[in-house]
Short mmCIF file of all heavy atoms in Angstrom, two decimals:
data_model
loop_
_atom_site.label_atom_id
_atom_site.label_comp_id
_atom_site.label_asym_id
_atom_site.label_seq_id
_atom_site.Cartn_x
_atom_site.Cartn_y
_atom_site.Cartn_z
N MET A 1 -84.22 -22.38 67.62
CA MET A 1 -83.45 -22.84 66.51
C MET A 1 -83.01 -21.57 65.65
O MET A 1 -83.81 -20.81 65.41
CB MET A 1 -84.30 -23.81 65.58
CG MET A 1 -83.52 -24.49 64.51
SD MET A 1 -84.46 -25.80 63.69
CE MET A 1 -83.39 -26.23 62.38
N LEU A 2 -81.78 -21.56 65.23
CA LEU A 2 -81.26 -20.36 64.62
C LEU A 2 -81.59 -20.44 63.06
O LEU A 2 -81.53 -21.59 62.50
CB LEU A 2 -79.75 -20.21 64.71
CG LEU A 2 -79.19 -19.89 66.15
CD1 LEU A 2 -77.72 -20.10 66.18
CD2 LEU A 2 -79.60 -18.42 66.47
N PRO A 3 -81.92 -19.34 62.56
CA PRO A 3 -82.18 -19.39 61.08
C PRO A 3 -80.72 -19.53 60.29
O PRO A 3 -79.88 -19.05 60.85
CB PRO A 3 -82.75 -17.98 60.74
CG PRO A 3 -82.29 -17.22 61.93
CD PRO A 3 -82.09 -18.07 63.09
N THR A 4 -80.79 -20.19 59.20
CA THR A 4 -79.64 -20.34 58.37
C THR A 4 -79.50 -19.21 57.54
O THR A 4 -80.36 -19.06 56.64
CB THR A 4 -79.66 -21.66 57.58
OG1 THR A 4 -80.89 -21.72 56.91
CG2 THR A 4 -79.49 -22.96 58.52
N SER A 5 -78.51 -18.42 57.68
CA SER A 5 -78.41 -17.18 56.85
C SER A 5 -77.03 -17.30 56.15
O SER A 5 -76.00 -17.81 56.69
CB SER A 5 -78.50 -15.94 57.62
OG SER A 5 -77.54 -15.91 58.63
N ASP A 6 -76.90 -16.78 54.98
CA ASP A 6 -75.66 -16.78 54.31
C ASP A 6 -74.67 -15.72 54.89
O ASP A 6 -75.10 -14.57 55.08
CB ASP A 6 -75.81 -16.42 52.72
CG ASP A 6 -76.52 -17.47 52.05
OD1 ASP A 6 -76.30 -18.65 52.35
OD2 ASP A 6 -77.20 -17.18 51.15
N ILE A 7 -73.53 -16.12 55.24
CA ILE A 7 -72.55 -15.18 55.74
C ILE A 7 -71.74 -14.66 54.59
O ILE A 7 -71.07 -15.46 53.93
CB ILE A 7 -71.70 -15.80 56.77
CG1 ILE A 7 -72.62 -16.23 58.01
CG2 ILE A 7 -70.61 -14.83 57.33
CD1 ILE A 7 -71.80 -17.29 58.90
N LYS A 8 -71.80 -13.28 54.35
CA LYS A 8 -71.11 -12.83 53.21
C LYS A 8 -69.87 -12.06 53.63
O LYS A 8 -69.76 -11.43 54.75
CB LYS A 8 -72.03 -11.85 52.49
CG LYS A 8 -73.08 -12.57 51.75
CD LYS A 8 -74.07 -11.56 51.04
CE LYS A 8 -75.19 -12.36 50.33
NZ LYS A 8 -76.23 -11.63 49.76
N PRO A 9 -68.89 -12.15 52.88
CA PRO A 9 -67.58 -11.43 53.30
C PRO A 9 -67.89 -9.92 53.04
O PRO A 9 -68.59 -9.52 52.22
CB PRO A 9 -66.58 -11.79 52.17
CG PRO A 9 -67.34 -12.48 50.99
CD PRO A 9 -68.69 -12.99 51.56
N ASP A 10 -67.21 -9.07 53.92
CA ASP A 10 -67.54 -7.67 54.01
C ASP A 10 -66.76 -6.93 52.96
O ASP A 10 -66.15 -5.92 53.36
CB ASP A 10 -67.38 -7.23 55.40
CG ASP A 10 -65.95 -7.43 55.87
OD1 ASP A 10 -65.11 -7.81 55.17
OD2 ASP A 10 -65.69 -7.08 57.04
N GLY A 11 -66.72 -7.30 51.81
CA GLY A 11 -66.06 -6.55 50.75
C GLY A 11 -64.63 -6.76 50.63
O GLY A 11 -64.14 -6.86 49.49
N GLY A 12 -63.98 -6.89 51.65
CA GLY A 12 -62.43 -7.21 51.67
C GLY A 12 -62.09 -8.34 50.81
O GLY A 12 -61.20 -8.21 49.93
N LEU A 13 -62.68 -9.43 50.96
CA LEU A 13 -62.37 -10.64 50.23
C LEU A 13 -62.87 -10.57 48.76
O LEU A 13 -62.13 -11.12 47.94
CB LEU A 13 -63.08 -11.86 50.86
CG LEU A 13 -62.49 -12.32 52.14
CD1 LEU A 13 -63.32 -13.36 52.81
CD2 LEU A 13 -61.11 -12.69 52.09
N ALA A 14 -63.86 -9.72 48.48
CA ALA A 14 -64.51 -9.66 47.18
C ALA A 14 -63.41 -9.12 46.11
O ALA A 14 -63.43 -9.44 44.92
CB ALA A 14 -65.66 -8.79 47.18
N MET A 15 -62.56 -8.25 46.69
CA MET A 15 -61.54 -7.62 45.76
C MET A 15 -60.19 -8.25 45.91
O MET A 15 -59.33 -7.74 45.30
CB MET A 15 -61.55 -6.11 45.89
CG MET A 15 -61.62 -5.68 47.46
SD MET A 15 -61.52 -3.88 47.61
CE MET A 15 -60.55 -3.73 49.01
N ALA A 16 -60.05 -9.46 46.45
CA ALA A 16 -58.81 -10.09 46.58
C ALA A 16 -58.13 -10.33 45.23
O ALA A 16 -56.94 -10.37 45.04
CB ALA A 16 -58.96 -11.28 47.33
N GLY A 17 -59.00 -10.59 44.19
CA GLY A 17 -58.48 -10.84 42.92
C GLY A 17 -58.39 -9.71 41.99
O GLY A 17 -57.99 -9.87 40.86
N GLN A 18 -58.67 -8.62 42.53
CA GLN A 18 -58.65 -7.30 41.64
C GLN A 18 -57.21 -6.92 41.38
O GLN A 18 -56.21 -7.21 42.20
CB GLN A 18 -59.36 -6.23 42.43
CG GLN A 18 -59.47 -4.90 41.54
CD GLN A 18 -60.28 -3.93 42.40
OE1 GLN A 18 -60.92 -4.22 43.43
NE2 GLN A 18 -60.11 -2.75 41.96
N SER A 19 -56.98 -6.46 40.14
CA SER A 19 -55.64 -6.06 39.77
C SER A 19 -55.35 -4.68 40.39
O SER A 19 -56.15 -3.74 40.29
CB SER A 19 -55.33 -6.17 38.38
OG SER A 19 -56.25 -5.57 37.59
N VAL A 20 -54.07 -4.56 40.85
CA VAL A 20 -53.65 -3.30 41.43
C VAL A 20 -52.25 -2.89 40.81
O VAL A 20 -51.66 -3.65 40.09
CB VAL A 20 -53.44 -3.39 42.96
CG1 VAL A 20 -54.91 -3.73 43.58
CG2 VAL A 20 -52.53 -4.58 43.28
N TYR A 21 -51.86 -1.76 41.14
CA TYR A 21 -50.60 -1.18 40.58
C TYR A 21 -49.54 -1.17 41.74
O TYR A 21 -49.85 -0.53 42.75
CB TYR A 21 -50.75 0.12 39.95
CG TYR A 21 -51.73 0.11 38.83
CD1 TYR A 21 -53.12 0.39 39.05
CD2 TYR A 21 -51.39 -0.29 37.54
CE1 TYR A 21 -54.12 0.31 37.95
CE2 TYR A 21 -52.29 -0.41 36.54
CZ TYR A 21 -53.62 -0.06 36.71
OH TYR A 21 -54.59 -0.11 35.75
N VAL A 22 -48.35 -1.58 41.42
CA VAL A 22 -47.36 -1.51 42.39
C VAL A 22 -46.05 -0.82 41.83
O VAL A 22 -45.76 -1.06 40.73
CB VAL A 22 -46.95 -2.86 43.08
CG1 VAL A 22 -48.14 -3.35 43.82
CG2 VAL A 22 -46.52 -3.82 42.08
N CYS A 23 -45.43 -0.07 42.58
CA CYS A 23 -44.16 0.58 42.17
C CYS A 23 -43.05 -0.38 42.49
O CYS A 23 -42.96 -0.94 43.60
CB CYS A 23 -43.97 1.96 42.87
SG CYS A 23 -42.44 2.68 42.47
N LYS A 24 -42.17 -0.70 41.51
CA LYS A 24 -41.15 -1.48 41.81
C LYS A 24 -39.84 -1.03 42.50
O LYS A 24 -38.84 -1.60 42.49
CB LYS A 24 -40.65 -2.24 40.46
CG LYS A 24 -41.69 -3.22 39.97
CD LYS A 24 -41.15 -4.05 38.88
CE LYS A 24 -40.37 -5.20 39.44
NZ LYS A 24 -39.93 -6.09 38.33
N SER A 25 -40.14 0.12 43.17
CA SER A 25 -39.04 0.66 44.01
C SER A 25 -38.82 -0.08 45.26
O SER A 25 -39.87 -0.73 45.74
CB SER A 25 -39.50 2.10 44.42
OG SER A 25 -38.83 2.54 45.47
N ALA A 26 -37.67 -0.24 45.67
CA ALA A 26 -37.35 -0.99 46.96
C ALA A 26 -38.07 -0.36 48.18
O ALA A 26 -38.39 -1.02 49.13
CB ALA A 26 -35.93 -1.00 47.29
N GLY A 27 -38.45 0.94 48.18
CA GLY A 27 -39.03 1.59 49.27
C GLY A 27 -40.64 1.51 49.22
O GLY A 27 -41.31 2.08 50.03
N ALA A 28 -41.11 0.96 48.13
CA ALA A 28 -42.53 1.01 48.00
C ALA A 28 -43.21 0.18 49.03
O ALA A 28 -42.84 -0.99 49.43
CB ALA A 28 -42.96 0.45 46.60
N LYS A 29 -44.24 0.60 49.64
CA LYS A 29 -44.93 -0.12 50.70
C LYS A 29 -46.51 -0.19 50.42
O LYS A 29 -47.24 -0.82 51.15
CB LYS A 29 -44.73 0.54 52.05
CG LYS A 29 -43.38 0.50 52.58
CD LYS A 29 -43.18 1.01 53.94
CE LYS A 29 -41.90 0.84 54.54
NZ LYS A 29 -40.83 1.43 53.81
N LYS A 30 -46.84 0.33 49.33
CA LYS A 30 -48.35 0.49 49.06
C LYS A 30 -48.57 -0.17 47.68
O LYS A 30 -47.91 -0.20 46.78
CB LYS A 30 -48.82 1.85 49.09
CG LYS A 30 -48.56 2.64 50.35
CD LYS A 30 -49.42 2.20 51.46
CE LYS A 30 -49.07 3.00 52.75
NZ LYS A 30 -49.85 2.35 53.91
N TYR A 31 -49.80 -0.67 47.55
CA TYR A 31 -50.38 -1.03 46.21
C TYR A 31 -51.60 -0.06 45.90
O TYR A 31 -52.22 0.55 46.76
CB TYR A 31 -50.70 -2.52 46.10
CG TYR A 31 -51.82 -3.00 46.99
CD1 TYR A 31 -53.17 -2.68 46.73
CD2 TYR A 31 -51.45 -3.66 48.17
CE1 TYR A 31 -54.15 -3.19 47.64
CE2 TYR A 31 -52.45 -4.20 49.06
CZ TYR A 31 -53.83 -3.95 48.70
OH TYR A 31 -54.73 -4.40 49.58
N HIS A 32 -51.81 0.14 44.68
CA HIS A 32 -52.72 1.25 44.35
C HIS A 32 -53.84 0.71 43.33
O HIS A 32 -53.52 -0.06 42.47
CB HIS A 32 -52.08 2.34 43.60
CG HIS A 32 -50.88 2.90 44.35
ND1 HIS A 32 -50.98 4.06 45.13
CD2 HIS A 32 -49.58 2.54 44.50
CE1 HIS A 32 -49.88 4.28 45.75
NE2 HIS A 32 -49.03 3.31 45.36
N PHE A 33 -54.98 1.01 43.45
CA PHE A 33 -56.14 0.80 42.73
C PHE A 33 -56.20 1.68 41.39
O PHE A 33 -56.64 1.27 40.45
CB PHE A 33 -57.47 0.81 43.45
CG PHE A 33 -57.59 -0.32 44.41
CD1 PHE A 33 -57.50 -0.03 45.81
CD2 PHE A 33 -57.81 -1.62 44.04
CE1 PHE A 33 -57.60 -1.06 46.71
CE2 PHE A 33 -58.00 -2.64 45.00
CZ PHE A 33 -57.74 -2.34 46.29
N ASN A 34 -55.73 2.88 41.69
CA ASN A 34 -55.87 3.85 40.58
C ASN A 34 -54.56 4.12 39.95
O ASN A 34 -53.63 4.52 40.64
CB ASN A 34 -56.38 5.18 41.15
CG ASN A 34 -56.83 6.15 40.13
OD1 ASN A 34 -56.25 6.11 38.98
ND2 ASN A 34 -57.65 7.04 40.40
N ARG A 35 -54.45 3.88 38.59
CA ARG A 35 -53.21 4.11 37.87
C ARG A 35 -52.71 5.50 38.00
O ARG A 35 -51.54 5.80 37.91
CB ARG A 35 -53.35 3.68 36.40
CG ARG A 35 -52.25 3.80 35.59
CD ARG A 35 -51.06 2.90 35.90
NE ARG A 35 -49.96 2.96 35.01
CZ ARG A 35 -49.03 3.91 34.96
NH1 ARG A 35 -49.11 4.93 35.79
NH2 ARG A 35 -48.02 3.91 34.05
N ASN A 36 -53.68 6.40 38.13
CA ASN A 36 -53.31 7.91 38.22
C ASN A 36 -53.15 8.33 39.58
O ASN A 36 -53.13 9.64 39.84
CB ASN A 36 -54.35 8.67 37.49
CG ASN A 36 -54.41 8.30 35.98
OD1 ASN A 36 -53.40 8.16 35.30
ND2 ASN A 36 -55.61 8.03 35.53
N CYS A 37 -53.02 7.44 40.56
CA CYS A 37 -52.81 7.95 42.03
C CYS A 37 -51.62 8.82 42.12
O CYS A 37 -50.63 8.53 41.60
CB CYS A 37 -52.79 6.70 42.81
SG CYS A 37 -52.41 7.08 44.61
N GLY A 38 -51.64 9.78 42.99
CA GLY A 38 -50.51 10.66 43.31
C GLY A 38 -49.37 9.87 43.83
O GLY A 38 -48.27 10.17 43.58
N GLY A 39 -49.73 8.80 44.62
CA GLY A 39 -48.75 8.12 45.19
C GLY A 39 -47.87 7.30 44.16
O GLY A 39 -46.63 7.18 44.22
N LEU A 40 -48.46 6.91 43.13
CA LEU A 40 -47.82 6.29 41.96
C LEU A 40 -47.06 7.25 41.10
O LEU A 40 -45.97 6.92 40.54
CB LEU A 40 -48.82 5.56 40.99
CG LEU A 40 -49.15 4.08 41.37
CD1 LEU A 40 -50.23 3.59 40.43
CD2 LEU A 40 -47.86 3.12 41.37
N LYS A 41 -47.47 8.42 41.10
CA LYS A 41 -46.76 9.51 40.22
C LYS A 41 -45.40 9.81 40.76
O LYS A 41 -44.59 10.22 40.04
CB LYS A 41 -47.62 10.76 40.04
CG LYS A 41 -48.71 10.52 39.13
CD LYS A 41 -49.51 11.79 38.82
CE LYS A 41 -50.59 11.64 37.70
NZ LYS A 41 -51.74 12.53 37.89
N ARG A 42 -45.34 9.56 42.10
CA ARG A 42 -44.02 9.77 42.69
C ARG A 42 -43.02 8.65 42.35
O ARG A 42 -41.76 8.82 42.63
CB ARG A 42 -44.09 9.88 44.26
CG ARG A 42 -44.97 11.14 44.63
CD ARG A 42 -44.46 11.53 46.02
NE ARG A 42 -44.44 10.32 46.84
CZ ARG A 42 -45.10 10.11 47.87
NH1 ARG A 42 -46.13 10.80 48.24
NH2 ARG A 42 -44.93 8.95 48.61
N CYS A 43 -43.49 7.58 41.81
CA CYS A 43 -42.66 6.49 41.54
C CYS A 43 -41.83 6.66 40.42
O CYS A 43 -42.22 6.91 39.26
CB CYS A 43 -43.68 5.16 41.31
SG CYS A 43 -42.72 3.76 40.87
N SER A 44 -40.55 6.54 40.63
CA SER A 44 -39.58 6.71 39.45
C SER A 44 -39.08 5.43 38.95
O SER A 44 -38.34 5.40 38.08
CB SER A 44 -38.31 7.56 40.04
OG SER A 44 -37.77 6.93 41.14
N HIS A 45 -39.61 4.39 39.43
CA HIS A 45 -39.33 3.08 38.88
C HIS A 45 -40.37 2.49 38.04
O HIS A 45 -41.43 3.16 37.71
CB HIS A 45 -39.12 2.08 39.99
CG HIS A 45 -37.88 2.38 40.79
ND1 HIS A 45 -37.78 3.52 41.59
CD2 HIS A 45 -36.68 1.73 41.09
CE1 HIS A 45 -36.54 3.62 42.14
NE2 HIS A 45 -35.92 2.55 41.91
N GLU A 46 -40.22 1.27 37.57
CA GLU A 46 -41.29 0.59 36.83
C GLU A 46 -42.49 0.37 37.69
O GLU A 46 -42.48 0.09 38.79
CB GLU A 46 -40.71 -0.75 36.31
CG GLU A 46 -41.52 -1.38 35.30
CD GLU A 46 -40.99 -2.76 34.96
OE1 GLU A 46 -39.78 -2.99 35.19
OE2 GLU A 46 -41.69 -3.63 34.32
N ILE A 47 -43.65 0.62 37.06
CA ILE A 47 -44.94 0.29 37.68
C ILE A 47 -45.57 -0.99 37.08
O ILE A 47 -45.54 -1.21 35.88
CB ILE A 47 -45.97 1.50 37.44
CG1 ILE A 47 -45.42 2.67 38.22
CG2 ILE A 47 -47.31 1.06 37.90
CD1 ILE A 47 -46.16 4.03 37.84
N LYS A 48 -45.80 -1.90 37.93
CA LYS A 48 -46.28 -3.10 37.42
C LYS A 48 -47.68 -3.48 37.99
O LYS A 48 -47.97 -3.11 39.10
CB LYS A 48 -45.21 -4.18 37.85
CG LYS A 48 -45.59 -5.43 38.60
CD LYS A 48 -44.41 -6.23 38.97
CE LYS A 48 -44.90 -7.63 38.93
NZ LYS A 48 -44.80 -8.52 40.04
N THR A 49 -48.46 -4.17 37.29
CA THR A 49 -49.75 -4.66 37.79
C THR A 49 -49.64 -6.05 38.45
O THR A 49 -48.79 -6.83 38.16
CB THR A 49 -50.80 -4.89 36.62
OG1 THR A 49 -50.22 -5.60 35.67
CG2 THR A 49 -51.10 -3.47 36.05
N SER A 50 -50.47 -6.08 39.47
CA SER A 50 -50.38 -7.33 40.27
C SER A 50 -51.81 -7.62 40.84
O SER A 50 -52.74 -6.80 40.54
CB SER A 50 -49.42 -6.99 41.43
OG SER A 50 -49.33 -8.12 42.26
N SER A 51 -52.02 -8.66 41.55
CA SER A 51 -53.25 -8.87 42.14
C SER A 51 -53.14 -8.41 43.71
O SER A 51 -51.97 -8.34 44.26
CB SER A 51 -53.68 -10.27 42.18
OG SER A 51 -52.95 -11.04 42.96
N VAL A 52 -54.24 -8.15 44.31
CA VAL A 52 -54.22 -7.75 45.75
C VAL A 52 -53.43 -8.68 46.52
O VAL A 52 -52.59 -8.52 47.34
CB VAL A 52 -55.54 -7.48 46.26
CG1 VAL A 52 -55.54 -7.27 47.81
CG2 VAL A 52 -56.28 -6.25 45.57
N LYS A 53 -53.83 -9.98 46.24
CA LYS A 53 -53.19 -11.20 46.97
C LYS A 53 -51.67 -11.13 46.86
O LYS A 53 -50.94 -11.38 47.78
CB LYS A 53 -53.75 -12.44 46.34
CG LYS A 53 -54.43 -13.32 47.42
CD LYS A 53 -54.98 -14.59 46.72
CE LYS A 53 -55.33 -15.62 47.64
NZ LYS A 53 -55.94 -16.81 46.99
N GLU A 54 -51.23 -10.99 45.72
CA GLU A 54 -49.68 -10.88 45.40
C GLU A 54 -49.08 -9.81 46.11
O GLU A 54 -48.01 -9.97 46.73
CB GLU A 54 -49.36 -10.91 43.83
CG GLU A 54 -49.66 -12.14 43.18
CD GLU A 54 -49.49 -12.15 41.72
OE1 GLU A 54 -49.47 -11.00 41.11
OE2 GLU A 54 -49.40 -13.08 41.05
N ALA A 55 -49.74 -8.55 45.94
CA ALA A 55 -49.05 -7.35 46.67
C ALA A 55 -49.05 -7.63 48.10
O ALA A 55 -48.07 -7.27 48.62
CB ALA A 55 -50.07 -6.20 46.25
N GLU A 56 -50.11 -8.24 48.74
CA GLU A 56 -50.00 -8.30 50.22
C GLU A 56 -49.10 -9.33 50.65
O GLU A 56 -48.45 -9.28 51.66
CB GLU A 56 -51.48 -8.62 50.64
CG GLU A 56 -52.33 -7.40 50.50
CD GLU A 56 -53.67 -7.49 51.25
OE1 GLU A 56 -54.06 -8.57 51.59
OE2 GLU A 56 -54.21 -6.41 51.51
N ALA A 57 -48.92 -10.39 49.68
CA ALA A 57 -47.92 -11.47 49.95
C ALA A 57 -46.50 -10.93 50.11
O ALA A 57 -45.69 -11.45 50.74
CB ALA A 57 -47.98 -12.57 48.84
N ILE A 58 -46.18 -9.78 49.35
CA ILE A 58 -44.87 -9.30 49.57
C ILE A 58 -44.82 -8.08 50.46
O ILE A 58 -43.89 -7.32 50.46
CB ILE A 58 -44.34 -8.80 48.09
CG1 ILE A 58 -45.16 -7.83 47.42
CG2 ILE A 58 -44.00 -10.12 47.22
CD1 ILE A 58 -44.56 -7.28 46.19
N GLY A 59 -45.84 -8.10 51.35
CA GLY A 59 -45.76 -7.03 52.41
C GLY A 59 -46.37 -5.64 52.06
O GLY A 59 -46.20 -4.75 52.94
N LEU A 60 -46.95 -5.45 50.94
CA LEU A 60 -47.60 -4.18 50.65
C LEU A 60 -48.94 -3.98 51.22
O LEU A 60 -49.58 -5.01 51.41
CB LEU A 60 -47.64 -3.95 49.05
CG LEU A 60 -46.38 -4.11 48.32
CD1 LEU A 60 -46.49 -4.04 46.79
CD2 LEU A 60 -45.37 -3.03 48.82
N THR A 61 -49.24 -2.78 51.56
CA THR A 61 -50.63 -2.53 52.09
C THR A 61 -51.36 -1.50 51.17
O THR A 61 -50.63 -0.83 50.33
CB THR A 61 -50.54 -1.86 53.54
OG1 THR A 61 -49.74 -0.73 53.49
CG2 THR A 61 -50.03 -2.98 54.39
N GLN A 62 -52.58 -1.41 51.28
CA GLN A 62 -53.50 -0.67 50.39
C GLN A 62 -53.11 0.84 50.55
O GLN A 62 -52.99 1.35 51.78
CB GLN A 62 -54.92 -0.83 50.72
CG GLN A 62 -55.81 -0.15 49.90
CD GLN A 62 -57.24 -0.36 50.26
OE1 GLN A 62 -57.65 -1.56 50.70
NE2 GLN A 62 -58.17 0.49 50.04
N CYS A 63 -53.07 1.62 49.48
CA CYS A 63 -52.79 2.97 49.44
C CYS A 63 -53.92 3.69 50.26
O CYS A 63 -55.05 3.31 50.12
CB CYS A 63 -52.75 3.42 48.05
SG CYS A 63 -52.61 5.19 47.89
N ALA A 64 -53.50 4.72 51.00
CA ALA A 64 -54.55 5.35 51.88
C ALA A 64 -55.30 6.50 51.12
O ALA A 64 -56.26 7.11 51.65
CB ALA A 64 -53.87 5.83 53.10
N TYR A 65 -54.85 6.90 49.94
CA TYR A 65 -55.46 7.98 49.32
C TYR A 65 -56.90 7.62 48.91
O TYR A 65 -57.14 6.52 48.43
CB TYR A 65 -54.63 8.30 47.94
CG TYR A 65 -53.45 9.10 48.19
CD1 TYR A 65 -52.25 8.40 48.04
CD2 TYR A 65 -53.54 10.40 48.34
CE1 TYR A 65 -51.09 9.09 48.23
CE2 TYR A 65 -52.34 11.14 48.55
CZ TYR A 65 -51.03 10.41 48.49
OH TYR A 65 -49.86 11.14 48.57
N LYS A 66 -57.74 8.61 49.22
CA LYS A 66 -59.27 8.32 48.98
C LYS A 66 -59.43 8.22 47.43
O LYS A 66 -60.36 7.58 46.96
CB LYS A 66 -60.15 9.37 49.53
CG LYS A 66 -60.39 9.06 51.03
CD LYS A 66 -61.39 9.98 51.54
CE LYS A 66 -61.70 9.66 53.09
NZ LYS A 66 -62.09 10.80 53.87
N LYS A 67 -58.73 9.01 46.67
CA LYS A 67 -58.90 8.93 45.19
C LYS A 67 -58.39 7.66 44.58
O LYS A 67 -58.69 7.37 43.41
CB LYS A 67 -58.13 10.12 44.55
CG LYS A 67 -58.93 11.35 44.82
CD LYS A 67 -58.20 12.56 44.18
CE LYS A 67 -58.80 14.02 44.41
NZ LYS A 67 -57.87 15.02 44.05
N CYS A 68 -57.70 6.93 45.38
CA CYS A 68 -56.95 5.70 44.94
C CYS A 68 -58.02 4.51 44.92
O CYS A 68 -57.70 3.62 45.64
CB CYS A 68 -55.72 5.49 45.56
SG CYS A 68 -54.69 4.17 44.80
N ARG A 69 -59.07 4.54 44.35
CA ARG A 69 -60.08 3.53 44.44
C ARG A 69 -60.55 3.06 43.09
O ARG A 69 -60.70 3.94 42.28
CB ARG A 69 -61.19 3.93 45.23
CG ARG A 69 -60.80 4.34 46.59
CD ARG A 69 -61.07 3.33 47.62
NE ARG A 69 -60.44 3.54 48.82
CZ ARG A 69 -60.48 2.69 49.92
NH1 ARG A 69 -61.04 1.46 49.78
NH2 ARG A 69 -59.97 2.95 51.05
ZN1 ZN B 101 -52.60 5.11 45.58
#
């Protein structure tokens, strides 16, 4: 008989509701956790806050900068 253990999400789901920053440029493809991220500094458009869920729903992916956490 298998022990019943809690299956926990591996972090990814835990931050699904976290707010992130997105550049409202048409070419933006990333969302950022850090408002001061270098990727956001290049943004010449409005920067808006969103949730991870919303950002991914419009096709954005997580910024790859290590400092952007
Ligand atoms: Zn970033």
Side-chain angles (χ1 to χ4, degrees):
M1 193 173 171
L2 293 168
T4 53
S5 58
D6 290 327
I7 298 164
K8 291 181 181 170
D10 58 5
L13 290 173
M15 36 181 219
Q18 188 173 343
S19 48
V20 293
Y21 301 94
V22 296
C23 179
K24 288 194 77 179
S25 156
K29 292 188 171 62
K30 305 287 180 188
Y31 60 81
H32 307 265
F33 289 106
N34 189 337
R35 179 68 177 74
N36 298 311
C37 175
L40 269 178
K41 282 186 178 154
R42 295 202 321 243
C43 176
S44 55
H45 292 66
E46 190 185 341
I47 292 167
K48 125 181 217 237
T49 55
S50 179
S51 69
V52 171
K53 235 179 170 178
E54 280 172 352
E56 292 193 339
I58 56 171
L60 300 176
T61 55
Q62 187 181 326
C63 174
Y65 285 101
K66 275 189 180 152
K67 285 180 185 169
C68 190
R69 302 260 172 185

